Amino acid sequence: MTIELTSRPLLAAGCRLGENNQQRILQMPERALRLNGPSLEIVTRCDGKHTVRQIVSELQQIYSKAQPRKVEEDILGYLALLQKERALDFEQ
Amino acid sequence: MPHELSNPLALIAELTHRCPLHCVYCSNPLELQARNLEISTEDWSRVFQEAAQLGVLQADFTGGEPLARTDIIDLVRAARAAGLYINLITSGLPLDETRLSALIAAGLDHIQLSFQGAQEGISNEISGTKSHGQKLRVLEWIKQHRVALTLNFVIHRRNIDQLEEMVALAESSSATRIEFANVQYYGWAFANRENLLPIREQLDRSMAIIKREQERLEGRIRVEYVVPDYYAKYPKPCMGGWGRKLMLITPTGDALPCHAAQVIPDLSFENVKERSLREIWERSAAFQKFRGEDWMQEPCKTCDRREQDFGGCRCQALLLAGDAAATDPVCSLAPLRPKVDAILAAVNLAPVSVVAPPPNEPLTRPSWLYRPNAG
């Protein structure tokens, strides 16, 4: 499955941000992912309002020292991972 | 070898042994604990707080039937207030639309609805109750809510040929996850093993179907499959390793490293009414017993896989080898693997009925040993 730059990712039902001992976590059915730096920046933007393209552009600004192309690849890779975990719905 | 202590990630809260179903593979112990011995709402609330402080991220509310607790809404609220993610593992029987809404409003994150099959006949036979119709109603109610849903199917010889129908049922619901869990042979399932173990052809067919469905449903429904470990080459990393990731609290408040730990002789368990969760996790004899590698025998002791599967399951070692510290006999490297092979050979050679009989032909059914209800 490919991820469209114009779609708007939204955390799926039962997937939400949590916290334990100052560590931010993505809570999912029977699973949890620790979120740090870029992964937290991505997940907080999966709100059904940001398009994938907007997420890419905002993170390219935050991580302006990294190559823009590399930032985009990393974001698409991370969204694909979350999609495989069934943690995202994509709104058009 | 010195062993670095990790913190538990999930708390399995066995809230009660009471249950309207009588499943022939129930994972509860053969001796069920009665209602008047169950710990209170306040005890559980304190346990949730202590668990979160210990690093636990998720609570699995299970039983028995967790909805048999009349304080279930308060328990959900308390676990959520402690910061935990809440999975409810339920038959769906003691549920109506009002109670479902109240559970979700209280903070329930994820419902795992258990099914005994895709069809009424086999489902009712396995659960010893008329239950299937109610589960279908619950699926419709859940569609009205934003809550995660997993359909959980316990798989065995009598329903393993219906995987496609089970997937279709999940696709007609709002589920984002299907769990196909082959029966694990402890407790009631151990007693009914000869009628539950699938034959090899069934297992091979099921693996091909699972692979195909996982690909077809990717991004829509996660399909998870737990194989019956009697057929595996290597044992399962039971509980992610003894005392490494999970802690189970029984209805009376005993803290166990796994569901079946009470079968192991000479292990005594601490109770949450007398000790904090942290003390139990870090120091109790039961959690120390098979932690790390010092307890291991050959071939585990020098095996390259010992950090992957931790020697397999201690309770299975006890049940099949008579020694809880033995290599899990399902391992192809275990000295007692021939015993498991003999069990499989008997099942595969015997002319067994793999098709569920019509409900009006009770005489062709296996003579199931049904679990009773807890008093």
Side-chain angles (χ1 to χ4, degrees), chain B residues 4 71 126 130 170 219 234 239 246 263 281 294:
Chain B
E4 198 181 321
D71 59 352
I126 291 294
K130 270 193 133 179
Y234 298 113
M239 304 303 275
L246 301 165
V263 302
W281 180 258
D294 290 344

Side-chain angles (χ1 to χ4, degrees), chain A residues 1 10-16 19-21 25 27-32 34 83-86 88-89, chain B residues 9 52 55-58 60 80 84-85 87 109-110 112 146-148 176-177 218-220 222 224:
Chain A
M1 283 184 141
L10 171 69
L11 288 179
C15 299
R16 61 176 170 91
E19 196 175 319
N20 185 282
N21 295 322
I25 294 148
Q27 291 272 26
M28 300 174 281
E30 301 285 318
R31 279 183 165 65
R34 284 178 211 287
Q83 184 185 26
K84 209 171 170 189
E85 290 282 338
R86 195 51 188 91
L88 294 177
D89 291 327
Chain B
L9 296 173
V56 167
L57 303 177
Q58 302 204 348
D60 292 347
R80 189 66 189 253
L84 300 175
Y85 182 97
N87 303 293
D109 289 292
H110 172 213
Q112 278 203 42
R146 192 170 158 77
V147 65
T176 53
R177 232 173 127 250
E218 194 182 299
R220 285 199 288 141
R222 256 189 96 96
E224 303 194 13

Side-chain angles (χ1 to χ4, degrees), chain B residues 14-28 32-35 38 62-69 89-94 114 116 126-129 131 135 188 251 370-375:
Chain B
E14 245 177 27
L15 299 176
T16 178
H17 280 161
R18 287 173 286 142
C19 187
L21 304 190
H22 308 286
C23 298
V24 296
Y25 44 65
C26 181
S27 64
N28 284 163
L32 299 168
Q33 294 163 338
R35 175 182 202 156
E38 291 174 5
T62 180
E65 169 51 68
L67 297 177
R69 292 270 313 208
I89 299 159
T90 179
S91 69
L93 261 65
S114 70
Q116 282 68 45
I126 291 294
S127 67
T129 325
S131 54
K135 288 164 189 280
W188 299 94
Y370 287 100
R371 69 154 263 177
N373 198 2

Side-chain angles (χ1 to χ4, degrees), chain B residues 5-61:
Chain B
L5 188 63
S6 52
N7 59 271
L9 296 173
L11 181 84
I12 302 168
E14 245 177 27
L15 299 176
T16 178
H17 280 161
R18 287 173 286 142
C19 187
L21 304 190
H22 308 286
C23 298
V24 296
Y25 44 65
C26 181
S27 64
N28 284 163
L30 297 178
E31 281 194 38
L32 299 168
Q33 294 163 338
R35 175 182 202 156
N36 60 355
L37 300 172
E38 291 174 5
I39 58 173
S40 67
T41 319
E42 292 70 33
D43 288 328
W44 277 116
S45 302
R46 184 172 43 77
V47 165
F48 300 145
Q49 292 286 342
E50 290 179 1
Q53 283 158 19
L54 193 51
V56 167
L57 303 177
Q58 302 204 348
D60 292 347
F61 281 13

